[in-house]
Amino acid sequence: MKARVYKWVLYMLITMLVVPVQGVAAGNSNANGMAKPPPAIAPLIDDYGIEIKSGEDLYLPEPELPDTSAYSRDAVEARLASRSDAPPDVSVERIGGISALGDFVDEGRAREWVVRQFSHPQAILVNSGKVTLEDVYRQVNDRRYMERNEDGSYIIRLPLTIRQDATLVMRDQTLRLSEERGAFIANDGWLFAIDSKIIGWREQANGPATFQKKENFRPFYVGWGGSENFILGTTMANLGYLQSKSYGFTVAQYSEYDNARLQRTAPHAWLVDSTFEDLYYGFYCYEAEDVAIVNNVYRDNIVYGIDPHDYSSGLIIAGNEVYGTREKHGIIISREVDNSWIVGNRSYKNGLSGIVLDRQSSNNVVANNVSYDNQGDGIGLYESPDNLLWGNRVMNNLRNGIRVRNSSNVDVYHNVAVLNGTWGIYGQLKDLSATDRNFKEDFYEYEVSLRVVGGELSSNASGPLSTDNPAYIALYDVGMRFPRSDVGIHFEGVLGKYQMQIFDALLNQKRAVRIEPSAVVSGQVSQAEN
């Protein structure tokens, strides 16, 4: 009988109307340069007060979301048409002194290519012009390095590098990258892959270079600082391993040392209507800007599906389907990835959480996503303050629907969290001082504060909502039906102390509640704030 009831509850809650969204709206060292210590862990507060107030004070307008129709086939074709039709120039040269290959010959990594090429490492260089794969094949003119197969596909057996002012165009073609010979693509200019396939290839097996071990070389793609990377209607598969900038599909700025000489702008990328499968990281970026990851499929990738990283900004991650990530999260932004949008994605059946904001990623909008059947949380915020979660649905995740850890000023508006393994929403304080965290690079404040408005927190195993000693929590118009506990809907800790007042204000008075330390409620300044 209970199973039938739960199925009915799940159906009702999944199909219930969620507030629609129509369109999308970051010095951490001491003066002497020493690493900043972990935050002081203040004593837990046991003296809270409650304020009953009008819900109007918690009103927020719908966030303005980016217009993803700007990232269309026509827009990509227009970018391609703007490139010069200069004649193609392709050569095979030694890889020393080529900026786009520097990371792969420094610090002993050159040995990888010496062993695989049986000689001093070489690369295919697209030097200038608007170049097709057929142009590359004809000008290389050596089957040891590049071959055209009977089915019209190509295989390359050297690294392929697009230099700064050159453009490589793939259209309706398949390019195989030889694992045995150490092939990969390094883009320092412009690349357009349209309706094509880029596949890591294991020649001995005459098949794709499927993942075996994280240390084992597999071909990969990297776009460097200043590069423009356009992937449209294309499949990229069987790429990447555990080495810097070799994760699968990467766009990354040059190192600070190299860029002092090269003076490159941030890399840009549009990934549209494409499929990324069996990549070590489905997507990784470093100091990238204005990246659009729109309407793609990320399936069965190894560590992460989509993983924008380190100081990137202005990203749009919208309309993607991300599932089957083996080890960790479907979508994660980490280490000061700011002013970005995660909108309208489906993230499910991933090894840990569906969507994560991590390590001081702030001023982001996470809206209208569906995250379910993940082995962690539906949505997790870790040490990432000042973010908005709007209109998301998180269902049947093994842990929490939404977890907010060591993150302040988080707005959770019009979200539905149902049938999750612990709490619908969990605000968590966690002391990270015993970890190996670098507190200069990954600083955080030991504080949780959030506003929860609208939506539904129903039939979660531990209850609708819990939070550890918040700096404040405000609640208004939150549905909390269908408890799974025999004791009914209940709170713990500071919320438990005011349970009856909370229910009366929300359900009977249709007003908001705000709970914070008593000294704040009474208008005084507590000693802890001085």
Side-chain angles (χ1 to χ4, degrees):
M1 181 64 181
K2 283 187 176 181
R4 293 178 60 190
V5 171
Y6 284 154
K7 287 181 180 178
W8 177 82
V9 170
L10 177 60
Y11 174 79
M12 191 228 25
L13 291 171
I14 290 174
T15 57
M16 68 187 298
L17 180 64
V18 179
V19 175
V21 182
Q22 297 176 344
V24 194
N28 59 342
S29 63
N30 298 328
N32 61 7
M34 298 294 287
K36 186 176 181 179
I41 307 302
L44 296 180
I45 301 168
D46 58 8
D47 186 14
Y48 277 83
I50 185 169
E51 182 181 4
I52 310 298
K53 56 194 303 183
S54 169
E56 294 179 359
D57 295 341
L58 295 175
Y59 171 77
L60 281 182
E62 295 179 7
E64 295 185 5
L65 306 180
D67 180 9
T68 58
S69 66
Y71 306 99
S72 65
R73 181 170 291 270
D74 288 345
V76 173
E77 295 286 1
R79 291 293 186 98
L80 175 56
S82 71
R83 299 297 295 154
S84 169
D85 286 323
D89 177 14
V90 179
S91 60
V92 176
E93 300 179 20
R94 292 186 173 186
I95 65 177
I98 299 170
S99 299
L101 300 176
D103 269 36
F104 311 114
V105 297
D106 294 341
E107 299 179 1
R109 290 189 68 183
R111 183 179 182 278
E112 186 85 62
W113 284 273
V114 172
V115 170
R116 293 178 184 277
Q117 294 187 22
F118 316 112
S119 64
H120 192 290
Q122 295 179 298
I124 300 169
L125 304 182
V126 179
N127 296 305
S128 62
K130 185 182 284 186
V131 182
T132 67
L133 284 184
E134 182 63 18
D135 293 328
V136 177
Y137 173 68
R138 289 177 178 174
Q139 295 197 17
V140 168
N141 193 30
D142 192 326
R143 294 182 62 184
R144 294 176 300 168
Y145 306 144
M146 186 173 184
E147 191 170 357
R148 184 170 56 200
N149 302 307
E150 291 183 359
D151 61 2
S153 65
Y154 295 89
I155 186 165
I156 58 171
R157 300 186 176 98
L158 295 178
L160 173 64
T161 300
I162 302 100
R163 305 192 87 164
Q164 186 173 3
D165 296 321
T167 303
L168 178 65
V169 182
M170 293 179 56
R171 188 186 296 275
D172 297 311
Q173 292 174 315
T174 296
L175 177 62
R176 297 169 178 170
L177 312 179
S178 171
E179 179 183 72
E180 288 88 346
R181 299 295 299 277
F184 62 89
I185 299 174
N187 181 24
D188 213 19
W190 294 65
L191 178 134
F192 293 82
I194 301 172
D195 301 326
S196 295
K197 294 181 179 180
I198 299 175
I199 310 294
W201 197 255
R202 192 164 291 143
E203 292 195 72
Q204 291 180 353
N206 193 31
T210 53
F211 178 77
Q212 295 175 331
K213 295 180 180 180
K214 63 184 180 181
E215 301 87 359
N216 289 6
F217 172 88
R218 289 201 303 173
F220 55 89
Y221 179 99
V222 59
W224 287 109
S227 68
E228 301 285 347
N229 306 270
F230 295 89
I231 309 297
L232 171 67
T234 287
T235 294
M236 303 190 74
N238 316 115
L239 303 172
Y241 71 119
L242 184 59
Q243 274 284 8
S244 177
K245 310 304 187 296
S246 306
Y247 301 129
F249 187 99
T250 297
V251 287
Q253 181 55 280
Y254 283 103
S255 70
E256 184 177 358
Y257 173 82
D258 287 337
N259 211 35
R261 172 176 55 88
L262 298 171
Q263 296 294 304
R264 298 291 170 80
T265 60
H268 302 150
W270 290 9
L271 287 66
V272 181
D273 294 332
S274 295
T275 298
F276 301 84
E277 181 177 6
D278 187 37
L279 275 61
Y280 192 66
Y281 291 4
F283 175 88
Y284 176 88
C285 69
Y286 176 88
E287 293 187 2
E289 295 178 1
D290 301 322
V291 169
I293 305 173
V294 178
N295 297 335
N296 303 289
V297 174
Y298 286 82
R299 63 173 174 240
D300 300 330
N301 294 295
I302 310 306
V303 181
Y304 300 110
I306 300 173
D307 179 26
H309 229 276
D310 294 67
Y311 321 117
S312 298
S313 63
L315 313 184
I316 299 173
I317 303 170
N320 300 286
E321 186 173 10
V322 185
Y323 64 94
T325 309
R326 296 190 201 178
E327 295 185 10
K328 296 187 179 180
H329 314 300
I331 300 172
I332 176 173
I333 62 175
S334 183
R335 190 171 289 140
E336 297 188 61
V337 177
D338 301 335
N339 304 307
S340 297
W341 297 267
I342 302 174
V343 179
N345 302 283
R346 292 176 60 211
S347 187
Y348 59 96
K349 295 184 179 179
N350 296 295
L352 283 177
S353 297
I355 299 172
V356 171
L357 281 62
D358 183 41
R359 299 180 189 241
Q360 292 296 319
S361 293
S362 301
N363 300 316
N364 300 293
V365 176
V366 181
N368 298 346
N369 301 283
V370 182
S371 180
Y372 62 95
D373 290 348
N374 296 293
Q375 296 300 300
D377 304 313
I379 299 175
L381 276 69
Y382 305 142
E383 296 73 54
S384 292
D386 303 310
N387 290 293
L388 172 62
L389 309 184
W390 182 285
N392 302 286
R393 288 178 288 172
V394 290
M395 301 165 292
N396 202 43
N397 297 288
L398 185 63
R399 298 179 185 172
N400 304 281
I402 297 171
R403 183 200 302 247
V404 179
R405 188 183 81 183
N406 298 335
S407 302
S408 57
N409 301 320
V410 175
D411 289 329
V412 184
Y413 276 59
H414 310 300
N415 298 276
V416 173
V418 299
L419 289 173
N420 296 289
T422 50
W423 298 98
I425 298 175
Y426 179 34
Q428 180 186 23
L429 288 173
K430 186 172 183 179
D431 179 5
L432 304 179
S433 60
T435 69
D436 60 358
R437 191 183 189 94
N438 180 329
F439 292 101
K440 178 181 178 181
E441 192 170 43
D442 295 320
F443 60 98
Y444 74 99
E445 300 297 331
Y446 187 71
E447 180 178 300
V448 167
S449 56
L450 63 161
R451 303 191 296 177
V452 181
V453 174
E456 186 76 32
L457 310 177
S458 293
S459 204
N460 298 289
S462 299
L465 177 66
S466 178
T467 182
D468 301 335
N469 289 85
Y472 70 80
I473 181 169
L475 306 171
Y476 178 61
D477 192 30
V478 184
M480 291 180 273
R481 295 176 286 175
F482 311 111
R484 286 166 65 177
S485 169
D486 292 338
V487 300
I489 297 171
H490 68 287
F491 300 129
E492 296 178 356
V494 62
L495 295 177
K497 179 180 178 180
Y498 296 107
Q499 180 162 310
M500 297 310 297
Q501 293 100 312
I502 293 171
F503 287 155
D504 180 61
L506 296 183
L507 301 177
N508 299 325
Q509 301 182 49
K510 306 299 181 184
R511 291 169 66 81
V513 300
R514 183 180 175 96
I515 298 172
E516 55 192 335
S518 295
V520 177
V521 174
S522 65
Q524 301 172 5
V525 179
S526 69
Q527 183 178 359
E529 292 175 313
N530 290 326

